[in-house]
């Protein structure tokens, strides 16, 4: 029990293996590695950085490109399919979120990913590219969630593991944001004006103009999915919302959570209000990358549109097209 608590509360940077992570055979080995990785993670949380106006928080797994109707696990390492190309989806985030809202200097970046094998891709496309160096990296953590699945599976109470996994990623990232802001309590800016939690494998084709919104406490903006089911992104300025996001894993394991059906009730139970953005309709303005060919309005724009605007190659377009065949 003590060991499990240590794994949850310490930052961990796990390197990928072909199948599953090779965990230390003794508690001493586990605790030693966690201590080393805690130090690595804390090096990223520099106290000398000035708090940016906005924060982008990338959370969850990067899905692979294939037809999920076949019943395959989207993030399973053994699935032989290409990953969503982060150079395309990151370009859409920069083009439609960062650039219309003041540019890279107004943002800082937090990353929690279930894809340690894509760490270099995240860094290449969000941190080191010449046209994106103004974006400050505040914190990053890459883990393989197979260990979490094995440990927490007996506690899920009928919940879908993918949803619990997403809640854990959200919770860890939200806690990192809260801790980072607390460490910089002397900063003139006491909090970010907006914190944007967003999946790294979605494609936007419309601007999300957060700088035009009225600041409202205890409000969370989501994409305009029917019945308040939006989960592509969450935007808030509410401390209470961030604290609830940090507690999402507890809610997800205590309740039977299913895709699209649990996030809104969980926020509502805490007195938080969802606002659906009319400029972000799934299938029209935003969609999971691997489902682009099923979003006819977006797909009919054609390869040239995504090549010129987002850097998509012909091979990547053909891979997308094959999903719906």
């Amino acid at each position: 029990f003590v060991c499990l608590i240590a794994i949850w509360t310490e930052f961990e940077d796990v390197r990928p293996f072909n199948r599953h992570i090779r965990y230390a055979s003794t508690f001493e080995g586990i605790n030693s590695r966690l201590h080393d990785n805690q130090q690595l993670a804390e090096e990223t949380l520099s106290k000398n950085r000035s708090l940016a106006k906005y924060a982008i928080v990338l959370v969850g797994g990067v899905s692979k490109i294939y037809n999920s109707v076949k019943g395959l696990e989207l993030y399973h390492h053994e699935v032989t399919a290409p990953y969503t190309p982060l150079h395309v989806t990151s370009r859409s985030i920069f083009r439609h979120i960062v650039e219309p809202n003041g540019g890279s200097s107004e943002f800082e970046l937090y990353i929690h990913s279930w894809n340690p094998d894509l760490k270099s891709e995240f860094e290449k496309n969000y941190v080191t590219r010449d046209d994106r160096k103004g974006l400050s990296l505040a914190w990053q953590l890459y883990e393989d969630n197979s260990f979490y699945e094995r440990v927490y599976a007996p506690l899920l109470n009928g919940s879908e593991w993918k949803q619990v996994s997403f809640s854990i990623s959200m919770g860890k990232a939200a806690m990192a944001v809260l801790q980072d802001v607390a460490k910089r309590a002397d900063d003139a800016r006491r909090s970010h004006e907006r914190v944007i939690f967003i999946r790294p494998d979605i494609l936007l084709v419309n601007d999300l103009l957060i700088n035009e919104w009225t600041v409202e406490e205890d409000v969370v903006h989501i994409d305009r999915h029917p019945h308040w089911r939006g989960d592509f992104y969450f935007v808030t300025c509410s401390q209470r919302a961030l604290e609830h996001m940090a507690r999402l894993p507890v809610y997800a394991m205590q309740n039977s959570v299913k895709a699209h059906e649990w996030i809104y009730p969980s926020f509502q139970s805490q007195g938080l209000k969802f606002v659906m953005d009319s400029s972000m309709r799934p299938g029209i303005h935003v969609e999971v990358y691997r489902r682009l060919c099923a979003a006819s309005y977006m797909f009919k724009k054609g390869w040239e549109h995504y090549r010129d605007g987002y850097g998509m190659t012909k091979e990547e377009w053909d891979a997308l097209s094959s999903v719906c065949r």
Side-chain angles (χ1 to χ4, degrees):
F1 180 78
V2 173
C3 180
L4 291 181
I5 295 297
I7 290 171
W8 174 250
T9 56
E10 297 285 343
F11 290 117
E12 184 179 4
D13 185 3
V14 182
R15 302 304 178 196
F17 291 83
N18 288 335
R19 290 184 58 82
H20 298 291
I21 302 174
R22 296 174 184 171
Y23 290 92
S25 59
T26 64
F27 288 169
E28 290 79 6
I30 293 174
N31 288 328
S32 173
R33 195 186 73 239
L34 289 172
H35 175 73
D36 292 342
N37 288 312
Q38 170 74 10
Q39 291 181 320
L40 289 173
E42 287 184 345
E43 289 175 4
T44 310
L45 292 171
S46 169
K47 295 180 182 180
N48 298 323
R49 290 181 294 105
S50 177
L51 197 65
K53 187 175 183 180
Y54 305 119
I56 291 180
V57 187
L58 301 176
V59 291
V62 178
S63 55
K64 293 186 175 183
I65 303 166
Y66 63 91
N67 191 336
S68 61
V69 174
K70 298 176 182 178
L72 298 174
E73 167 56 53
L74 285 178
Y75 312 109
H76 203 283
H77 296 294
E78 282 75 26
V79 173
T80 54
Y83 278 116
T84 293
L86 292 180
H87 75 94
V88 175
T89 55
S90 66
R91 176 58 191 140
S92 81
I93 288 175
F94 272 83
R95 178 176 176 178
H96 296 297
I97 296 180
V98 176
E99 292 171 4
N101 294 288
S104 295
S105 62
E106 298 285 6
F107 288 81
E108 58 187 1
L109 178 68
Y110 298 77
I111 303 172
H112 184 272
S113 172
W114 293 129
N115 299 95
D117 50 335
L118 295 180
K119 182 176 186 289
S120 63
E121 285 297 306
F122 274 98
E123 292 179 340
K124 179 174 69 177
N125 288 291
Y126 283 97
V127 181
T128 61
R129 281 182 55 147
D130 289 340
D131 59 342
R132 300 174 190 176
K133 284 186 178 178
L135 182 65
S136 172
L137 177 63
W139 175 82
Q140 59 178 336
L141 180 61
Y142 302 85
E143 305 180 87
D144 186 316
N145 65 1
S146 59
F147 181 65
Y148 289 89
E149 182 177 13
R150 179 160 59 87
V151 170
Y152 290 123
L155 311 176
L156 295 189
N157 193 30
S159 295
E160 294 179 358
W161 167 244
K162 286 185 289 186
Q163 300 302 310
V164 175
S165 175
F166 184 63
S167 76
I168 294 173
S169 184
M170 286 267 287
K172 285 198 163 191
M175 190 65 76
V177 174
L178 289 167
Q179 290 177 337
D180 198 13
V181 172
K183 286 183 178 182
R184 293 182 282 171
D186 295 333
D187 199 309
R189 190 188 300 278
R190 295 294 180 179
S191 62
H192 302 97
E193 288 188 17
R194 305 282 182 192
V195 181
I196 307 161
F197 291 79
I198 189 167
R199 291 175 51 168
D201 59 352
I202 68 167
L203 185 69
L204 304 97
V205 296
N206 205 26
D207 292 348
L208 188 64
L209 299 175
I210 60 175
N211 58 357
E212 296 181 357
W213 296 349
T214 301
V215 175
E216 298 177 272
E217 277 295 325
D218 300 332
V219 167
V220 179
H221 286 256
I222 60 172
D223 54 282
R224 199 172 185 81
H225 193 289
H227 310 298
W228 307 95
R229 292 178 166 185
D231 62 1
F232 289 161
Y233 65 81
F234 305 86
V235 185
T236 191
C237 64
S238 168
Q239 175 85 3
R240 191 143 63 100
L242 287 174
E243 291 174 355
H244 178 60
M245 290 178 185
R247 293 190 294 264
L248 273 180
V250 178
Y251 183 95
M253 282 185 276
Q254 289 179 341
N255 298 272
S256 181
V257 299
K258 309 293 182 183
H260 300 299
E261 298 176 358
W262 68 278
I263 296 180
Y264 173 61
S266 81
F267 279 82
Q268 192 178 40
S269 70
Q270 300 302 309
L272 297 162
K273 178 185 176 183
F274 271 11
V275 172
M276 293 193 294
D277 300 324
S278 58
S279 64
M280 283 294 164
R281 296 178 181 271
I284 298 176
H285 308 118
V286 59
E287 189 52 80
V288 178
Y289 179 90
R290 68 179 179 83
R291 289 181 51 83
L292 188 63
C293 66
S296 59
Y297 183 87
M298 295 175 66
F299 195 67
K300 70 181 181 182
K301 293 178 181 292
W303 169 57
E304 289 82 3
H305 174 82
Y306 294 101
R307 177 197 62 193
D308 298 341
Y310 306 93
M312 186 186 296
T313 67
K314 186 63 165 62
E315 290 76 16
E316 289 164 344
W317 177 259
D318 291 342
L320 268 180
S321 302
S322 68
V323 172
C324 292
R325 290 173 187 163

